[in-house]
Amino acid sequence: MSNANLMVHERKTAFLAGVWRVDPETNTLLRDGEERHVEPKVMKVLLTLASQQNHVVSKEDLITAVWPDTFVGDDVLTRCISILRKITEDDPHAPHFIQTVPKVGYRLVAPVSEFAEPEPMEVLVEQPAAPLEARPAAESIVPPAGAARWPRARWIAGAAAALSLVAATGYGVHARREATGPSGSLRTVQFTSYDGEQTQPAFSPDGAHIAFVWAKHGSETRQIYVKRIGEENLTRLAKDGGEQFSPVWSPDGRQIAYLGRSSDGLGLYITGTAPGSGASRIYIPQQPSHWEQGALSWSPDGKSLIFPDHDGSQPHSSLFQLDLATRNVRSITSPPSGWEGDLNPAYSPDGTKIAFTRASETAVRDIYWISVGNGAVHQLTSDRMNIDSLTWSADGRSILFSSNRGGKYALWKMALNGGKPERLPVGSEDAFGPAVGPRPGQLAYAQGSAFWSILRLRGAEGKSAAVPERVLSSTQQDSAPSLSPDGRFFAIQSLRSGSQEIWISSIEGKSLRQLTFLGGPLTGSPAWSNHGDSLLFDSRPDGHSHIFSVPVGGGQPKQLTSGNANDIVPRWSHDDQKIYFRSNRGGRWQLWMIPAAGGEPQPVTTGDGIEPQESPDGRWLYYTRGNEDGLWRTPVGGGNEVQVSKAPAAGFWGYWQVTPLGIFYLDQSHTSPEIRILNPETRESSLYATLQQTPPPYAGISVVAQGHIVLMTDEHDAERHITLVERQR
């Protein structure tokens, strides 16, 4: 549909679709002050339908208009329609926004009209804030709505901040009409469509079955299931009561190995594929090193398994090989000191090579491979971006991987003999966990979406629990809120611009503006100063994470730490004179400190620490730990490190804050998760709010000192399903 395609690119001005104002330039839908940000492709689907309003647009024409010269399956289009329906609260059975015409396409039934811009009005512009020393200490700066950005080119150059396709699988760089031609066309189907998230697909050796991990809605555990291609019956692999990750088939197809975590601790398990087979724990790893991203591989000769783990007290992960006959384990890689380590191992089809990712920092990874024969290590990519997972092509000449190197996570292919990574014509948006099957053209991957929100909890006297109110909402991740001291503004880390940056919003969720413009390195962990004039954050300009500060009104950020170590999650002292952060610069994860005015970093704790916060009187330093439940404290001047609470849980280390009223924290020990207030001296706690669901990990809460406003991250309607691609004959 060439006319639809033309209209997509021509319409730039805002218009009305029913009760929603559609703004193509900012990819937003607005209604009654509520703003919803959507991905560019979702917006293009809406624009294409709007250009043919009240007319049916076929699926083929929609795909051609939105994804020209690219092969995508119907599932990608279905996902975009689903997102629009969720935002507009549309019922597909009684549509008021988009109607599905079975076996044909879609029609926009919401009336389309032009949006009349309001008459210009005089705007009072605030004068720049006075220098910090010239203002009363309690005053906080109001971030100007139109603050100018710093020069992007200078910032990236100076400091910078925290899928030929697979010939073996039958893919080529063709336009859609070629890829779907009569000879060997590709067939893309949604392999799973259950509630919750289905991830980590793994083909059986004969290509007839796929094992995958399923996390159901309302459940915090993940279980492995097996499903035959072309059938709907499911088989649950092993009912051991714990969480299960990274399924891999034995070469003969009779067994599946996986990594697990339960009340008995961690384990590497093997179970038979026949019904009723029990699981046996054959090894106990030290730490779960990104198990949700593909962490186990079975050698083609069936003799060994490889996985990432930690060697003794080493802070980095290495690859380990387990001999299945002797049960001996040995380390086969040695990442550089100070790096996050080696992850995502995968044997090549002939068993002579092992591909893996080497991470200088969690979100900064490149692909390497090691020769099984002589142990020589070869670097394949130099992106310094995040690689979620990888697999080999069927002929062993290429590696397929999921990466954000092009913005959103997509599937890419890299030839083993070098060159540039090339994007696959499938899995073009939010694609993870690629798996190649033995049949021609057989590929599976996970793809999905979620709605992210910033929730505001208002405490009210006489009420047993605060009621959550949604302040911001987006299909792109908004998380880790940090409130200004006066409670009028908050900062977040957000993927709204395509890469994770720092944004600032008013407490009502309006006047949202981007504060950093780095366009690549992962940037996050914002922390508002107690004086209200600056923000701390971490970013990864050179492959390692460093600490930065920037005025809340915008301007040139200042790099505060450097070197080949990783410095993350910075926080101010109670008087803004010191900056605490987590770092592995001492050879293991600890808390470190630098004077805010500058100076050499100094270690603060002997053991691990993250999310450091001083008490309001400056006597105590409180902190959580990366992989442990609980909350600790130590005297600011030095002394014993003592645990004061068993909550928050591991992985939820940001869900707490010290205030004059006590320590607000997330407690998951009850039927419903709660925000409670702890008195650290008496160890007694009181209820502040009961939550409807458990929030996402690694995000956190923020509390105004008086305790009347709490902000936290919410993820809802999270769905991820497995897509299957096969070549038709």
Side-chain angles (χ1 to χ4, degrees):
M1 180 178 291
S2 57
N3 289 337
N5 193 45
L6 180 63
M7 292 296 290
V8 170
H9 294 288
E10 284 184 348
R11 182 180 280 277
K12 296 293 185 182
T13 58
F15 64 96
L16 294 175
V19 298
W20 291 87
R21 173 187 169 184
V22 181
D23 191 339
E25 287 194 327
T26 59
N27 294 320
T28 54
L29 282 77
L30 300 96
R31 179 188 65 179
D32 300 332
E34 178 184 7
E35 180 178 288
R36 296 294 186 91
H37 184 90
V38 298
E39 306 159 24
K41 295 296 186 184
V42 176
M43 177 58 69
K44 287 187 177 182
V45 169
L46 177 55
L47 295 180
T48 304
L49 292 172
S51 70
Q52 305 294 318
Q53 194 257 340
N54 222 18
H55 292 280
V56 178
V57 183
S58 70
K59 293 180 180 180
E60 182 69 27
D61 284 346
L62 272 169
I63 291 173
T64 301
V66 179
W67 294 272
D69 300 327
T70 302
F71 176 82
V72 298
D74 291 351
D75 61 304
V76 177
L77 174 59
T78 302
R79 174 178 170 271
C80 292
I81 296 294
S82 176
I83 289 174
L84 289 171
R85 281 178 170 152
K86 285 181 180 178
I87 290 175
T88 60
E89 300 173 355
D90 194 24
D91 184 352
H93 302 293
H96 61 77
F97 197 79
I98 295 176
Q99 177 189 16
T100 299
V101 181
K103 298 183 180 181
V104 181
Y106 300 96
R107 176 169 60 183
L108 184 68
V109 295
V112 174
S113 59
E114 297 302 317
F115 175 76
E117 292 287 351
E119 292 294 323
M121 60 181 295
E122 183 179 2
V123 178
L124 296 178
V125 180
E126 296 189 36
Q127 296 299 316
L132 179 61
E133 61 273 11
R135 297 184 287 113
E139 180 184 358
S140 70
I141 294 178
V142 177
R149 70 182 69 179
W150 58 82
R152 188 170 182 270
R154 285 179 54 198
W155 169 232
I156 291 177
L163 247 94
S164 138
L165 298 170
V166 186
T169 58
Y171 301 114
V173 185
H174 303 297
R176 177 176 169 81
R177 60 182 178 275
E178 295 171 349
T180 57
S183 177
S185 59
L186 295 177
R187 177 174 177 264
T188 303
V189 297
Q190 192 163 303
F191 181 71
T192 64
S193 57
Y194 314 116
D195 74 291
E197 299 187 53
Q198 299 96 57
T199 58
Q200 296 188 300
F203 284 96
S204 61
D206 61 2
H209 297 80
I210 295 179
F212 61 92
V213 176
W214 184 6
K216 300 180 182 180
H217 279 316
S219 174
E220 297 181 17
T221 61
R222 314 177 197 203
Q223 299 289 324
I224 297 173
Y225 289 78
V226 177
K227 180 175 180 283
R228 186 179 181 88
I229 296 173
E231 297 180 3
E232 284 302 312
N233 293 330
L234 286 177
T235 301
R236 183 172 167 183
L237 187 64
K239 301 178 182 179
D240 58 15
E243 285 199 287
Q244 301 168 348
F245 306 85
S246 302
V248 292
W249 297 74
S250 62
D252 61 10
R254 296 178 180 178
Q255 295 177 304
I256 290 178
Y258 64 93
L259 293 159
R261 177 170 52 198
S262 68
S263 57
D264 293 332
L266 306 178
L268 195 168
Y269 295 84
I270 291 182
T271 182
T273 56
S277 299
S280 299
R281 183 163 63 173
I282 63 172
Y283 182 74
I284 301 177
Q286 287 201 28
Q287 291 188 30
S289 302
H290 297 276
W291 287 359
E292 75 283 358
Q293 296 174 340
L296 192 60
S297 184
W298 206 316
S299 64
D301 62 10
K303 295 181 179 180
S304 63
L305 289 163
I306 49 172
F307 53 93
D309 200 8
H310 290 249
D311 187 4
S313 61
Q314 292 292 337
H316 59 248
S317 62
S318 302
L319 298 187
F320 287 76
Q321 183 181 57
L322 170 66
D323 187 302
L324 292 174
T326 65
R327 302 292 172 90
N328 291 330
V329 175
R330 66 184 183 95
S331 174
I332 59 174
T333 64
S334 299
S337 177
W339 285 43
E340 183 78 10
D342 297 340
L343 305 162
N344 313 115
Y347 273 109
S348 62
D350 62 5
T352 63
K353 305 175 186 68
I354 297 171
F356 62 96
T357 61
R358 176 160 285 176
S360 58
E361 201 266 351
T362 298
V364 183
R365 308 183 194 184
D366 277 301
I367 298 175
Y368 290 69
W369 65 271
I370 182 174
S371 171
V372 173
N374 58 25
V377 176
H378 308 266
Q379 185 171 352
L380 194 58
T381 67
S382 301
D383 285 340
R384 289 181 174 176
M385 300 296 286
N386 196 12
I387 295 174
D388 175 82
S389 46
L390 57 78
T391 191
W392 288 84
S393 61
D395 62 2
R397 297 178 181 177
S398 307
I399 293 174
L400 279 68
F401 60 99
S402 169
S403 174
N404 64 345
R405 67 185 310 275
K408 296 180 71 63
Y409 281 91
L411 300 185
W412 298 77
K413 170 250 183 178
M414 182 73 179
L416 208 62
N417 59 6
K420 294 183 178 180
E422 298 183 54
R423 197 165 184 161
L424 291 183
V426 292
S428 58
E429 291 185 6
D430 294 319
F432 303 88
V436 171
R439 299 176 181 177
Q442 204 173 40
L443 174 71
Y445 56 91
Q447 191 167 31
S449 63
F451 280 95
W452 293 81
S453 300
I454 301 299
L455 298 183
R456 175 170 55 187
L457 305 176
R458 291 180 180 269
E461 189 174 351
K463 290 187 177 182
S464 61
V467 178
E469 172 189 359
R470 189 167 292 144
V471 177
L472 283 180
S473 187
S474 173
T475 58
Q476 304 302 298
Q477 182 175 331
D478 295 336
S479 60
S482 176
L483 276 158
S484 62
D486 59 9
R488 297 172 59 195
F489 299 92
F490 64 90
I492 56 172
Q493 60 188 33
S494 177
L495 286 167
R496 289 170 177 259
S497 62
S499 59
Q500 186 168 289
E501 306 280 0
I502 306 299
W503 292 64
I504 288 180
S505 171
S506 65
I507 191 61
E508 294 83 11
K510 301 178 181 179
S511 304
L512 183 65
R513 64 182 177 88
Q514 190 172 340
L515 183 62
T516 65
F517 297 83
L518 309 180
L522 187 75
T523 300
S525 306
W528 212 299
S529 65
N530 296 288
H531 287 101
D533 57 350
S534 299
L535 277 170
L536 294 174
F537 61 91
D538 54 31
S539 191
R540 297 136 181 88
D542 56 5
H544 291 278
S545 182
H546 307 303
I547 307 303
F548 297 82
S549 67
V550 64
V552 295
Q556 181 73 28
K558 180 181 179 182
Q559 185 169 341
L560 304 178
T561 66
S562 60
N564 292 326
N566 292 307
D567 306 323
I568 60 174
V569 193
R571 295 295 182 260
W572 302 92
S573 63
H574 78 288
D575 56 5
D576 290 345
Q577 297 302 302
K578 295 177 291 186
I579 296 170
Y580 297 97
F581 56 94
R582 189 191 196 210
S583 179
N584 61 357
R585 59 180 54 239
R588 64 184 185 276
W589 288 114
Q590 297 170 268
L591 285 182
W592 289 67
M593 181 275 294
I594 55 171
E600 288 297 316
Q602 300 294 325
V604 175
T605 62
T606 57
D608 188 16
I610 193 170
E611 188 77 22
Q613 298 178 32
E614 276 191 358
S615 59
D617 59 9
R619 293 179 55 208
W620 300 98
L621 179 66
Y622 291 86
Y623 53 92
T624 44
R625 291 177 173 172
N627 294 308
E628 293 185 53
D629 296 343
L631 179 65
W632 280 259
R633 77 177 184 182
T634 186
V636 167
N640 293 333
E641 301 176 23
V642 178
Q643 186 174 11
V644 297
S645 172
K646 294 182 179 180
F652 293 83
W653 41 258
Y655 284 89
W656 65 282
Q657 185 171 326
V658 179
T659 76
L661 298 178
I663 301 175
F664 287 66
Y665 70 98
L666 174 66
D667 186 353
Q668 297 170 253
S669 64
H670 303 276
T671 303
S672 297
E674 299 175 347
I675 302 295
R676 302 187 67 85
I677 306 175
L678 173 72
N679 182 323
E681 306 306 327
T682 66
R683 310 293 171 89
E684 295 179 350
S685 67
S686 59
L687 177 66
Y688 179 81
T690 300
L691 307 179
Q692 295 179 351
Q693 63 182 26
T694 301
Y698 318 119
I701 62 173
S702 183
V703 186
V704 172
Q706 297 84 355
H708 63 275
I709 297 178
V710 175
L711 292 185
M712 62 179 295
T713 306
D714 176 60
E715 181 188 16
H716 59 98
D717 293 329
E719 294 183 350
R720 191 174 288 181
H721 308 299
I722 295 172
T723 296
L724 174 64
V725 182
E726 293 184 301
R727 180 167 294 281
Q728 291 181 315
R729 294 296 182 183

